[in-house]
Amino acid sequence: MIRQPIRPRNAQAPTQTSKQLERAHRQIYEVMPEVRRRAIRRFEEIQYYTTTGNRDEQQRTYHYLIDEALLASLSDYIMQMIDDLVLRGDNGGPIIVGAAMQAYQTGTAYQIANFQAQTNAFRRTLEETLLSAPYRNRIGLVRARVFEEMQGFTAETRKELQRILADGMARGLSPRDIVGQINARTGVDERRAERIARTEINNAHRRALLDEDEQVNSEGIRTRLLWFSALSPTTRRWHASRHGRTYTRQEVNDFYSRDGNAINCLCSVRSILVDEQGNPLSNALPDKLHLQGAKFFKAVA
């Protein structure tokens, strides 16, 4: 009997990255409220006086005692504070990046176990893989990508906080209004950080699966990638339609390079042994997945 690929343990979250996502979310909800607190604290140090309109005593304008040098100092503080918390906040490393690296290593481990389950021709251990130069190069590229994403996040967060403070004081808004805008903006940034975490952590996990698939094919074992959709209420129909089908690495890469398919995607793949024509050596698992997909579409119709 031909041995089967290892299926993801959680059918509704085939990426199996929940632990990494939990770690990233803890970081986000520790760091972003601290960004808000420090920005508000620094703003509240700025002195002001008020004037009222001649016709409407309720119309109050706030005049902040701030000059160009103090505004520059405030901007520098915001920039340094966000860099310290976001890019150097997790034991000296950027938030989210460590969780993505962990997801990459976990994806590699799953794929190694998957090859070992299917064929005795695969002899490389996980320990040998993690110490190899190809693995170190690959995970380095993934880290660089996620770090670049976090740099973009910090730049946008910095820009928006600086804009809120400078614009609010220039318009004479009350401290309460400016603090309210800071709180609202921080909520937006938290949601954006969550989206980055979901996307980049799942991307890192998926990248590990594809990288290891490429490596094993270079070692003489023929495979294609068997698709596992989450089949959850939020699954996009064109993602679910791929459940149980097999694809080349290029086809998988092409799919995720367009139409925002990588954003919030919970699908995953596993390598499956194929013959010279690219057909699975056994259709037992793909056939089961096709039946699952048919039931899903019938249920959501």
Side-chain angles (χ1 to χ4, degrees):
M1 179 181 293
I2 297 174
R3 288 139 66 182
Q4 301 298 308
I6 295 177
R7 301 174 62 172
R9 289 192 298 270
N10 187 341
Q12 288 202 330
T15 53
Q16 301 181 159
T17 54
S18 59
K19 289 184 179 179
Q20 291 81 37
L21 288 169
E22 287 172 6
R23 172 184 171 185
H25 289 167
R26 282 198 306 271
Q27 293 169 346
I28 291 166
Y29 284 100
E30 288 172 0
V31 165
M32 298 313 298
E34 184 63 19
V35 167
R36 178 177 66 243
R37 285 190 291 268
R38 292 191 189 185
I40 291 172
R41 221 166 30 232
R42 181 68 180 85
F43 164 65
E44 289 176 340
E45 294 174 359
I46 298 172
Q47 297 180 340
Y48 62 87
Y49 65 93
T50 63
T51 58
T52 56
N54 293 331
R55 296 182 180 179
D56 185 357
E57 289 297 323
Q58 299 301 316
Q59 184 180 359
R60 189 180 298 273
T61 301
Y62 292 78
H63 303 270
Y64 294 88
L65 303 179
I66 187 167
D67 55 18
E68 186 175 340
L70 188 55
L71 185 60
S73 174
L74 177 61
S75 294
D76 288 343
Y77 172 82
I78 295 295
M79 178 176 66
Q80 188 64 51
M81 178 264 292
I82 292 176
D83 280 353
D84 285 344
L85 289 173
V86 178
L87 294 183
R88 291 184 286 274
D90 184 25
N91 296 321
I95 65 171
I96 298 177
V97 173
M101 298 302 94
Q102 187 180 31
Y104 187 91
Q105 181 172 325
T106 300
T108 301
Y110 285 146
Q111 195 70 299
I112 294 289
N114 182 44
F115 292 131
Q116 291 172 340
Q118 291 184 76
T119 175
N120 293 329
F122 183 82
R123 301 182 181 280
R124 186 161 36 87
T125 66
L126 176 60
E127 291 74 15
E128 290 169 341
T129 301
L130 298 182
L131 293 172
S132 68
Y135 174 85
R136 292 198 302 271
N137 290 337
R138 295 195 305 258
I139 198 171
L141 291 173
V142 172
R143 186 187 191 284
R145 171 193 160 82
V146 184
F147 180 73
E148 183 178 4
E149 188 72 23
M150 293 312 300
Q151 283 184 313
F153 172 78
T154 57
E156 182 66 20
T157 302
R158 231 174 16 234
K159 176 183 174 183
E160 285 303 307
L161 269 180
Q162 290 168 343
R163 180 193 62 77
I164 288 169
L165 290 168
D167 181 67
M169 288 188 291
R171 292 168 55 198
L173 298 182
S174 72
R176 181 177 179 178
D177 287 340
I178 293 175
V179 167
Q181 290 186 24
I182 292 173
N183 286 329
R185 180 64 212 184
T186 305
V188 171
D189 290 331
E190 286 175 350
R191 291 189 292 275
R192 184 180 172 214
E194 283 185 325
R195 186 173 65 252
I196 290 172
R198 285 194 301 271
T199 300
E200 295 302 328
I201 287 171
N202 287 333
N203 278 348
H205 179 87
R206 189 181 305 113
R207 186 74 261 157
L209 300 173
L210 268 64
D211 285 346
E212 198 54 45
D213 181 81
E214 181 176 15
Q215 179 71 25
V216 82
N217 274 266
S218 73
E219 296 169 358
I221 299 174
R222 285 190 298 270
T223 69
R224 282 170 70 95
L225 294 160
L226 179 62
W227 194 279
F228 294 86
S229 174
L231 299 183
S232 68
T234 59
T235 299
R236 287 162 277 190
R237 293 180 68 88
W238 60 96
H239 287 232
S241 67
R242 301 169 75 88
H243 191 63
R245 300 182 183 274
T246 59
Y247 299 92
T248 65
R249 287 186 305 279
Q250 187 60 52
E251 288 170 336
V252 173
N253 285 326
D254 288 345
F255 178 80
Y256 282 113
S257 69
R258 63 178 185 268
D259 303 328
N261 284 323
I263 298 173
N264 291 334
C265 178
L266 296 178
C267 298
S268 189
V269 294
R270 289 290 188 277
S271 295
I272 185 170
L273 300 187
V274 298
D275 60 23
E276 293 181 357
Q277 286 72 45
N279 300 311
L281 297 183
S282 170
N283 282 310
L285 181 54
D287 286 347
K288 287 181 181 179
L289 299 180
H290 289 153
L291 287 175
Q292 287 179 349
K295 290 180 181 178
F296 170 81
F297 279 104
K298 184 177 179 179
V300 300

